[in-house]
Amino acid sequence: MIFVTFPDGATRQLESGASGLEIAKSISPSLARRSVAMSIDGRLCDLGDRITTDSRVEFLSREDPRALGLIRHDAAHVLAEAVQTLFPGTQVTIGPVIENGFYYDFYRREPFTPQDFPAIENKMAEIVARDKPFTKEVWMREKAKAWFKSQGEDFKVELIDAIPQNEEIKIYRQGEWLDLCRGPHMTSTGKIGGAFKLIKVAGAYWRGDSTKPMLQRIYATAFAKPEELAAYLKQLEEAERRDHRRLGREMDLFHFQEEGPGTVFWHPKGWTLFQTLISYMRRRQSELGYIEVNTPQVLDRSLWETSGHWQTFRENMFISKTEDERVFAIKPMNCPGHVQIFKNGLKSYRDLPMKIAEFGIVHRYEPSGAIHGLMRVRAFTQDDAHIFCTQDQILEESLKVNDLILSIYKDFGFDDIVIKFSTRPPKRVGADDAWDKAEEALSRVLKTLAGRGAKTAINLGEGAFYGPKLEYTLRDAIGREWQCGTTQVDFNLPGRFGAFYIGPDSEKTTPVMIHRAVFGSLERFAGILIEHYAGHLPLWLSPVQIVVATITLEADDYAQEVIAQARKRGLLAEGDLRNEKITYKVREHSLAKVPVLLVLGKKEAASRSVSIRRLGSQAQTHMGLQEVLNMLEEEATPPDVARARAGKAPVQTPGLALSFIHSIRSND
RNA sequence: GCCGCAAUAGCUCAGCUGGUAGAGCACGUCAUUCGUAAUGAUGGGGCCGGGGGUUCGAAUCCCUCUUGCGGCACCA
């Protein structure tokens, strides 16, 4: 006999081996009818599974959020059956559930196209309507292999071989059709319902390996209710409207063209935004004792060989051979340049930590398929810095970098951050004991941050070739994740370049280098901001803050005065004195996402006031000119400047004594 | 880089199975000075992404290159 506990606390004593369905029936027929699966001790299972030990059991209806994954997974099986019915000879591979839906990878010579979707969807609906039960069978390994082989399903055979010997080979049937699957599934295909849709078709390598065959992946989604599907499709449209490539054109920020694949032509407004980001970062960094430098764009190959970049990334570098046969590389990273600056002139331990920063433009010959708007480009600007320090300073400096990163993201409206720790990759430079030290330092940082409530994760083997790293991933307004900031502890490059400082013992000592970036790529960060705010940038970031629009030419003189006064206060103001109707001007500047529209007519000119209309609102407020300018000037103040004025310090690591900073401060 | 799709006016797009291009918006000009998301009239604008081929004839069919889009792989 076994004891089963239900969510409401009730318990029941049962024969060992009773199936979930039997138990549900014994409780009530309606429960049995409603249930599509169950959870045993928190683990999702088939309703038909037998319970053999004392456990907590919960029955799930198809409306349960936990059943959504089952609906999608079941739909994946139905998709596979539909495709194999309509396109005989197609091989099935895998079909997992992913965020927002599922996919199934097929192998077939002829391409699938979206034109095939309606037929596939109809066939799926047919299979759902047949409402055949999903039944599980456990097969002998050899039987399963032989069966799939006889069906010409070579990929499935490979999958079976990959299943560990101690695991069962499970087969799920849905009527005539069956598939190798670890389950669980709902009770029948009918439970999937009608809220499913095929989304797109794309290529994908078998087992994610670019040396293996290319499969055809059909992406789809399914929901419990049609309204949820509709809401999801609407969200996709919303994302499209926010696409920074589209907004970049509409807002006249930048463009791309054929002759410069993956490289940005920044227009005046886009460049203003870019410069706003740089000015902000300069203030934040210099406050913390960073010194800014500039290093050469083109450097001899030997430097890249010393750093190890040549050996690792040669294929992805822009190389140039000069007439005298010298080989140069356009810099893909700033670190070798910064090491040269550190090396130039003798350094003492008293100079450490030395924080060398550069808004360095780096070029990387990214694979053609990787290029994507501002998010992945071949030439970008990093807010790069290298902190040369002693081993004892690693923890404290890394935490200070962390505080800077989090505080900056907050200023831009991002507070959902995940910090990922990437450990040593298979292809790397340097001795293992150095890696041990570097990883230990960063894992201590990670632990400290986790202790403070940060979301953390570990990516085994994904560190840089010279050191482990922390990667800061932020989530934008529509839930997408972007990797931006990074902290990398490097025990290798300073030594490879022969950098040293004189320690307290008068000995030459190799410094540790912490590579760090906050925005990462300024291009990408600008793109993220545009999408995060859907183009409605906060006033301090907006490249045009105010447009002064006149209703009649009788207000022209006053308008000129308003523009001049706004500019005098450092506001980015433009005038629209064209002979157009005010409705036309309002529409145009609203589409251009101008945050503040000051409308001036006879009344305002006479009373020295303005009518103010904010982007995204139809409301109009009348205010006195000085009053409005005071308000806008305050609103347009960057958050760090506003904090400084209010005498507030940015976020600091609590409980960490800050050591005295010996580093050279820049004089400006 | 790989798979698939695409490229026509500044933008969004039409152009059926081959007969040398069309709309709306934008832009120019004129009129209108009109109080919060499109005033009217009128005009100009295209080597149909590049190259090659098939054909009497190619935006349209074929090949190839380039670029873009969606994924995959990659991302110091």
Side-chain angles (χ1 to χ4, degrees), chain A residues 86 106 125 129 149 152 155 227 238 274 316 349 357 397 402 442 445 497 519 572 634 660:
Chain A
L86 294 170
F106 298 98
K149 195 154 183 67
F155 294 94
E227 309 88 84
E238 167 67 7
F274 200 92
N316 301 300
Y349 72 96
E397 289 305 318
N402 170 78
L442 275 189
V445 173
F497 279 109
F519 293 147
L572 300 168
E634 193 187 328
F660 181 70

PDB file of all heavy atoms in Angstrom, chain A residues 86 106 125 129 149 152 155 227 238 274 316 349 357 397 402 442 445 497 519 572 634 660:
ATOM      1  N   LEU A  86       1.745  14.328 -45.349  1.00  0.00           N
ATOM      2  CA  LEU A  86       1.663  15.137 -46.560  1.00  0.00           C
ATOM      3  C   LEU A  86       2.909  15.038 -47.430  1.00  0.00           C
ATOM      4  O   LEU A  86       2.841  15.210 -48.640  1.00  0.00           O
ATOM      5  CB  LEU A  86       1.435  16.605 -46.190  1.00  0.00           C
ATOM      6  CG  LEU A  86       0.103  16.939 -45.516  1.00  0.00           C
ATOM      7  CD1 LEU A  86       0.111  18.356 -44.987  1.00  0.00           C
ATOM      8  CD2 LEU A  86      -1.045  16.753 -46.501  1.00  0.00           C
ATOM      9  N   PHE A 106      13.047  18.710 -39.566  1.00  0.00           N
ATOM     10  CA  PHE A 106      12.819  17.652 -40.545  1.00  0.00           C
ATOM     11  C   PHE A 106      13.986  17.568 -41.512  1.00  0.00           C
ATOM     12  O   PHE A 106      14.676  18.557 -41.755  1.00  0.00           O
ATOM     13  CB  PHE A 106      11.559  17.943 -41.367  1.00  0.00           C
ATOM     14  CG  PHE A 106      10.307  18.007 -40.544  1.00  0.00           C
ATOM     15  CD1 PHE A 106       9.810  19.238 -40.134  1.00  0.00           C
ATOM     16  CD2 PHE A 106       9.633  16.858 -40.176  1.00  0.00           C
ATOM     17  CE1 PHE A 106       8.649  19.312 -39.373  1.00  0.00           C
ATOM     18  CE2 PHE A 106       8.481  16.919 -39.417  1.00  0.00           C
ATOM     19  CZ  PHE A 106       7.983  18.146 -39.014  1.00  0.00           C
ATOM     20  N   ALA A 125      -5.069  19.955 -37.780  1.00  0.00           N
ATOM     21  CA  ALA A 125      -6.407  20.105 -37.197  1.00  0.00           C
ATOM     22  C   ALA A 125      -7.163  18.785 -37.299  1.00  0.00           C
ATOM     23  O   ALA A 125      -7.900  18.388 -36.389  1.00  0.00           O
ATOM     24  CB  ALA A 125      -7.160  21.224 -37.898  1.00  0.00           C
ATOM     25  N   ALA A 129      -8.621  16.580 -34.329  1.00  0.00           N
ATOM     26  CA  ALA A 129     -10.042  16.231 -34.290  1.00  0.00           C
ATOM     27  C   ALA A 129     -10.242  14.724 -34.111  1.00  0.00           C
ATOM     28  O   ALA A 129     -11.211  14.283 -33.505  1.00  0.00           O
ATOM     29  CB  ALA A 129     -10.727  16.708 -35.568  1.00  0.00           C
ATOM     30  N   LYS A 149      15.013   2.104 -38.342  1.00  0.00           N
ATOM     31  CA  LYS A 149      15.863   1.884 -39.508  1.00  0.00           C
ATOM     32  C   LYS A 149      15.004   1.447 -40.691  1.00  0.00           C
ATOM     33  O   LYS A 149      15.174   1.911 -41.812  1.00  0.00           O
ATOM     34  CB  LYS A 149      16.922   0.821 -39.180  1.00  0.00           C
ATOM     35  CG  LYS A 149      18.055   0.789 -40.180  1.00  0.00           C
ATOM     36  CD  LYS A 149      19.345   0.255 -39.558  1.00  0.00           C
ATOM     37  CE  LYS A 149      20.497   0.293 -40.549  1.00  0.00           C
ATOM     38  NZ  LYS A 149      20.909   1.635 -40.914  1.00  0.00           N
ATOM     39  N   GLY A 152      13.466   4.111 -42.478  1.00  0.00           N
ATOM     40  CA  GLY A 152      14.370   5.083 -43.103  1.00  0.00           C
ATOM     41  C   GLY A 152      14.644   6.280 -42.219  1.00  0.00           C
ATOM     42  O   GLY A 152      15.091   7.322 -42.680  1.00  0.00           O
ATOM     43  N   PHE A 155      18.041   9.496 -38.518  1.00  0.00           N
ATOM     44  CA  PHE A 155      18.328  10.427 -37.415  1.00  0.00           C
ATOM     45  C   PHE A 155      17.808   9.868 -36.093  1.00  0.00           C
ATOM     46  O   PHE A 155      18.448  10.005 -35.065  1.00  0.00           O
ATOM     47  CB  PHE A 155      17.716  11.801 -37.706  1.00  0.00           C
ATOM     48  CG  PHE A 155      18.359  12.469 -38.886  1.00  0.00           C
ATOM     49  CD1 PHE A 155      17.818  12.345 -40.160  1.00  0.00           C
ATOM     50  CD2 PHE A 155      19.527  13.201 -38.722  1.00  0.00           C
ATOM     51  CE1 PHE A 155      18.429  12.952 -41.253  1.00  0.00           C
ATOM     52  CE2 PHE A 155      20.137  13.810 -39.804  1.00  0.00           C
ATOM     53  CZ  PHE A 155      19.585  13.689 -41.073  1.00  0.00           C
ATOM     54  N   GLU A 227      -7.547  33.184 -27.578  1.00  0.00           N
ATOM     55  CA  GLU A 227      -7.240  34.573 -27.216  1.00  0.00           C
ATOM     56  C   GLU A 227      -5.754  34.724 -26.907  1.00  0.00           C
ATOM     57  O   GLU A 227      -5.155  35.758 -27.192  1.00  0.00           O
ATOM     58  CB  GLU A 227      -8.019  35.023 -25.971  1.00  0.00           C
ATOM     59  CG  GLU A 227      -9.498  34.772 -26.002  1.00  0.00           C
ATOM     60  CD  GLU A 227      -9.844  33.389 -25.474  1.00  0.00           C
ATOM     61  OE1 GLU A 227      -9.954  33.212 -24.246  1.00  0.00           O
ATOM     62  OE2 GLU A 227     -10.001  32.486 -26.317  1.00  0.00           O
ATOM     63  N   GLU A 238       3.962  43.939 -32.405  1.00  0.00           N
ATOM     64  CA  GLU A 238       4.492  45.027 -31.581  1.00  0.00           C
ATOM     65  C   GLU A 238       6.014  45.058 -31.654  1.00  0.00           C
ATOM     66  O   GLU A 238       6.623  46.109 -31.813  1.00  0.00           O
ATOM     67  CB  GLU A 238       4.006  44.847 -30.141  1.00  0.00           C
ATOM     68  CG  GLU A 238       4.691  45.693 -29.106  1.00  0.00           C
ATOM     69  CD  GLU A 238       4.415  47.180 -29.247  1.00  0.00           C
ATOM     70  OE1 GLU A 238       3.566  47.565 -30.090  1.00  0.00           O
ATOM     71  OE2 GLU A 238       5.052  47.958 -28.538  1.00  0.00           O
ATOM     72  N   PHE A 274      24.362  58.949 -29.738  1.00  0.00           N
ATOM     73  CA  PHE A 274      25.626  58.247 -29.507  1.00  0.00           C
ATOM     74  C   PHE A 274      26.539  59.069 -28.596  1.00  0.00           C
ATOM     75  O   PHE A 274      27.118  58.577 -27.638  1.00  0.00           O
ATOM     76  CB  PHE A 274      26.282  58.036 -30.877  1.00  0.00           C
ATOM     77  CG  PHE A 274      27.315  56.963 -30.936  1.00  0.00           C
ATOM     78  CD1 PHE A 274      26.968  55.668 -31.294  1.00  0.00           C
ATOM     79  CD2 PHE A 274      28.648  57.247 -30.681  1.00  0.00           C
ATOM     80  CE1 PHE A 274      27.936  54.677 -31.381  1.00  0.00           C
ATOM     81  CE2 PHE A 274      29.610  56.267 -30.755  1.00  0.00           C
ATOM     82  CZ  PHE A 274      29.249  54.969 -31.113  1.00  0.00           C
ATOM     83  N   ASN A 316      38.568  36.248 -38.548  1.00  0.00           N
ATOM     84  CA  ASN A 316      37.578  37.281 -38.296  1.00  0.00           C
ATOM     85  C   ASN A 316      38.184  38.662 -38.172  1.00  0.00           C
ATOM     86  O   ASN A 316      37.564  39.569 -37.636  1.00  0.00           O
ATOM     87  CB  ASN A 316      36.805  36.955 -37.011  1.00  0.00           C
ATOM     88  CG  ASN A 316      36.120  35.615 -37.112  1.00  0.00           C
ATOM     89  OD1 ASN A 316      35.295  35.410 -37.981  1.00  0.00           O
ATOM     90  ND2 ASN A 316      36.492  34.685 -36.270  1.00  0.00           N
ATOM     91  N   TYR A 349      53.564  49.594  -7.648  1.00  0.00           N
ATOM     92  CA  TYR A 349      52.312  49.065  -7.079  1.00  0.00           C
ATOM     93  C   TYR A 349      51.440  50.205  -6.578  1.00  0.00           C
ATOM     94  O   TYR A 349      50.242  50.086  -6.464  1.00  0.00           O
ATOM     95  CB  TYR A 349      52.609  48.072  -5.950  1.00  0.00           C
ATOM     96  CG  TYR A 349      53.131  48.694  -4.674  1.00  0.00           C
ATOM     97  CD1 TYR A 349      52.250  48.985  -3.629  1.00  0.00           C
ATOM     98  CD2 TYR A 349      54.483  49.007  -4.521  1.00  0.00           C
ATOM     99  CE1 TYR A 349      52.711  49.579  -2.465  1.00  0.00           C
ATOM    100  CE2 TYR A 349      54.942  49.595  -3.383  1.00  0.00           C
ATOM    101  CZ  TYR A 349      54.062  49.886  -2.335  1.00  0.00           C
ATOM    102  OH  TYR A 349      54.515  50.478  -1.187  1.00  0.00           O
ATOM    103  N   ALA A 357      40.832  53.551 -19.898  1.00  0.00           N
ATOM    104  CA  ALA A 357      39.581  53.461 -20.656  1.00  0.00           C
ATOM    105  C   ALA A 357      39.747  54.037 -22.054  1.00  0.00           C
ATOM    106  O   ALA A 357      40.591  54.900 -22.293  1.00  0.00           O
ATOM    107  CB  ALA A 357      38.475  54.212 -19.927  1.00  0.00           C
ATOM    108  N   GLU A 397      37.972  45.242  -7.116  1.00  0.00           N
ATOM    109  CA  GLU A 397      37.806  45.955  -8.389  1.00  0.00           C
ATOM    110  C   GLU A 397      36.644  45.363  -9.199  1.00  0.00           C
ATOM    111  O   GLU A 397      35.884  46.088  -9.830  1.00  0.00           O
ATOM    112  CB  GLU A 397      39.101  45.919  -9.199  1.00  0.00           C
ATOM    113  CG  GLU A 397      40.219  46.784  -8.620  1.00  0.00           C
ATOM    114  CD  GLU A 397      39.790  48.230  -8.411  1.00  0.00           C
ATOM    115  OE1 GLU A 397      39.103  48.799  -9.293  1.00  0.00           O
ATOM    116  OE2 GLU A 397      40.107  48.792  -7.339  1.00  0.00           O
ATOM    117  N   ASN A 402      31.072  45.849 -11.081  1.00  0.00           N
ATOM    118  CA  ASN A 402      29.691  45.382 -10.995  1.00  0.00           C
ATOM    119  C   ASN A 402      28.738  46.507 -10.579  1.00  0.00           C
ATOM    120  O   ASN A 402      27.688  46.700 -11.172  1.00  0.00           O
ATOM    121  CB  ASN A 402      29.604  44.246  -9.981  1.00  0.00           C
ATOM    122  CG  ASN A 402      28.174  43.879  -9.678  1.00  0.00           C
ATOM    123  OD1 ASN A 402      27.531  43.202 -10.454  1.00  0.00           O
ATOM    124  ND2 ASN A 402      27.655  44.372  -8.569  1.00  0.00           N
ATOM    125  N   LEU A 442      36.558  35.220  -9.829  1.00  0.00           N
ATOM    126  CA  LEU A 442      35.248  35.591 -10.367  1.00  0.00           C
ATOM    127  C   LEU A 442      34.114  34.827  -9.695  1.00  0.00           C
ATOM    128  O   LEU A 442      33.029  35.359  -9.509  1.00  0.00           O
ATOM    129  CB  LEU A 442      35.205  35.376 -11.878  1.00  0.00           C
ATOM    130  CG  LEU A 442      35.759  36.536 -12.704  1.00  0.00           C
ATOM    131  CD1 LEU A 442      35.477  36.320 -14.174  1.00  0.00           C
ATOM    132  CD2 LEU A 442      35.177  37.869 -12.252  1.00  0.00           C
ATOM    133  N   VAL A 445      33.287  36.649  -6.704  1.00  0.00           N
ATOM    134  CA  VAL A 445      32.489  37.834  -7.036  1.00  0.00           C
ATOM    135  C   VAL A 445      31.040  37.403  -7.262  1.00  0.00           C
ATOM    136  O   VAL A 445      30.103  37.993  -6.721  1.00  0.00           O
ATOM    137  CB  VAL A 445      33.037  38.522  -8.306  1.00  0.00           C
ATOM    138  CG1 VAL A 445      32.099  39.640  -8.749  1.00  0.00           C
ATOM    139  CG2 VAL A 445      34.432  39.063  -8.053  1.00  0.00           C
ATOM    140  N   PHE A 497      52.715  40.032 -22.853  1.00  0.00           N
ATOM    141  CA  PHE A 497      53.311  41.271 -23.376  1.00  0.00           C
ATOM    142  C   PHE A 497      54.476  41.763 -22.517  1.00  0.00           C
ATOM    143  O   PHE A 497      55.059  42.800 -22.802  1.00  0.00           O
ATOM    144  CB  PHE A 497      52.249  42.369 -23.448  1.00  0.00           C
ATOM    145  CG  PHE A 497      51.367  42.279 -24.649  1.00  0.00           C
ATOM    146  CD1 PHE A 497      50.036  41.906 -24.539  1.00  0.00           C
ATOM    147  CD2 PHE A 497      51.876  42.555 -25.920  1.00  0.00           C
ATOM    148  CE1 PHE A 497      49.218  41.824 -25.655  1.00  0.00           C
ATOM    149  CE2 PHE A 497      51.060  42.479 -27.044  1.00  0.00           C
ATOM    150  CZ  PHE A 497      49.733  42.112 -26.911  1.00  0.00           C
ATOM    151  N   PHE A 519      28.412  49.230 -21.602  1.00  0.00           N
ATOM    152  CA  PHE A 519      27.501  49.170 -22.749  1.00  0.00           C
ATOM    153  C   PHE A 519      27.888  47.974 -23.619  1.00  0.00           C
ATOM    154  O   PHE A 519      27.068  47.402 -24.304  1.00  0.00           O
ATOM    155  CB  PHE A 519      27.613  50.432 -23.610  1.00  0.00           C
ATOM    156  CG  PHE A 519      27.130  51.690 -22.935  1.00  0.00           C
ATOM    157  CD1 PHE A 519      27.740  52.908 -23.208  1.00  0.00           C
ATOM    158  CD2 PHE A 519      26.044  51.680 -22.065  1.00  0.00           C
ATOM    159  CE1 PHE A 519      27.289  54.084 -22.625  1.00  0.00           C
ATOM    160  CE2 PHE A 519      25.599  52.858 -21.473  1.00  0.00           C
ATOM    161  CZ  PHE A 519      26.224  54.056 -21.749  1.00  0.00           C
ATOM    162  N   LEU A 572      17.940  70.716 -26.712  1.00  0.00           N
ATOM    163  CA  LEU A 572      18.031  70.517 -28.152  1.00  0.00           C
ATOM    164  C   LEU A 572      16.671  70.864 -28.746  1.00  0.00           C
ATOM    165  O   LEU A 572      15.740  70.069 -28.709  1.00  0.00           O
ATOM    166  CB  LEU A 572      18.408  69.065 -28.455  1.00  0.00           C
ATOM    167  CG  LEU A 572      19.751  68.630 -27.856  1.00  0.00           C
ATOM    168  CD1 LEU A 572      19.932  67.127 -27.937  1.00  0.00           C
ATOM    169  CD2 LEU A 572      20.903  69.339 -28.565  1.00  0.00           C
ATOM    170  N   GLU A 634      15.186  70.715 -16.236  1.00  0.00           N
ATOM    171  CA  GLU A 634      15.395  69.750 -15.161  1.00  0.00           C
ATOM    172  C   GLU A 634      15.200  68.328 -15.668  1.00  0.00           C
ATOM    173  O   GLU A 634      15.989  67.428 -15.386  1.00  0.00           O
ATOM    174  CB  GLU A 634      14.425  70.042 -14.018  1.00  0.00           C
ATOM    175  CG  GLU A 634      14.818  69.274 -12.776  1.00  0.00           C
ATOM    176  CD  GLU A 634      13.792  69.413 -11.667  1.00  0.00           C
ATOM    177  OE1 GLU A 634      13.157  70.486 -11.587  1.00  0.00           O
ATOM    178  OE2 GLU A 634      13.636  68.431 -10.918  1.00  0.00           O
ATOM    179  N   PHE A 660      42.414  53.395  -0.843  1.00  0.00           N
ATOM    180  CA  PHE A 660      42.806  54.686  -1.379  1.00  0.00           C
ATOM    181  C   PHE A 660      43.248  54.508  -2.825  1.00  0.00           C
ATOM    182  O   PHE A 660      43.965  53.580  -3.162  1.00  0.00           O
ATOM    183  CB  PHE A 660      43.958  55.261  -0.543  1.00  0.00           C
ATOM    184  CG  PHE A 660      44.407  56.596  -1.018  1.00  0.00           C
ATOM    185  CD1 PHE A 660      43.589  57.705  -0.846  1.00  0.00           C
ATOM    186  CD2 PHE A 660      45.628  56.729  -1.662  1.00  0.00           C
ATOM    187  CE1 PHE A 660      44.005  58.939  -1.311  1.00  0.00           C
ATOM    188  CE2 PHE A 660      46.038  57.973  -2.119  1.00  0.00           C
ATOM    189  CZ  PHE A 660      45.222  59.083  -1.939  1.00  0.00           C
TER     190      PHE A 660
END
